[in-house]
Structure formats: C-alpha cells, structure tokens
Amino acid sequence: MEEIAKLILQYDAELRKGLKTGRTGLFRRADGGCYVRSQVPLGGKYQDETIMIFADEADLDLFYKSYLP
C-alpha cells in the first residue's frame, strides 16, 4: 500500500481540486498512464483500473497517514 500511496501523492493537487466537487479517484489506463477523475458515482463500474477513490480531503489525509511512513 505504501507504493500506491506514493503514486497517489504524485496526483495530490489534482485530487484535492476534484474533491471540492465530490468523490474523486485515481485511475490507470491500459497503457499504464494514470489520471484523476472527479464526480465519481458511488458503486459505479469503470472501464479503467481503479487505484483509489476518495470521498473528501479528510479521507485522502487519513489514507496518507495510514500508508506513508
């Protein structure tokens, strides 16, 4: 999980911007590229690999606190 947390940290600014409008997540395309998607519907099915979805900034901060040294 630490590796995933470090990957997510690279997209922190984009994630925080998206979290101002709702659930936001980090996804990975088949070619390996990652992107941030905002206003992610709850329980949805996604074409690309879901790395992590956050409900709000506190959720993101707790994730970092739990998985980053």
Side-chain angles (χ1 to χ4, degrees), residues 20-35:
K20 293 177 194 259
T21 61
R23 294 169 48 88
T24 300
L26 183 63
F27 296 84
R28 185 183 339 241
R29 292 186 286 278
D31 66 6
C34 293
Y35 66 96

Side-chain angles (χ1 to χ4, degrees), residues 1-30:
M1 287 300 286
E2 184 178 336
E3 288 181 33
I4 293 171
K6 288 178 181 179
L7 174 64
I8 290 169
L9 188 59
Q10 294 175 23
Y11 294 87
D12 185 78
E14 289 177 67
L15 286 164
R16 289 185 188 279
K17 182 178 177 185
L19 287 168
K20 293 177 194 259
T21 61
R23 294 169 48 88
T24 300
L26 183 63
F27 296 84
R28 185 183 339 241
R29 292 186 286 278

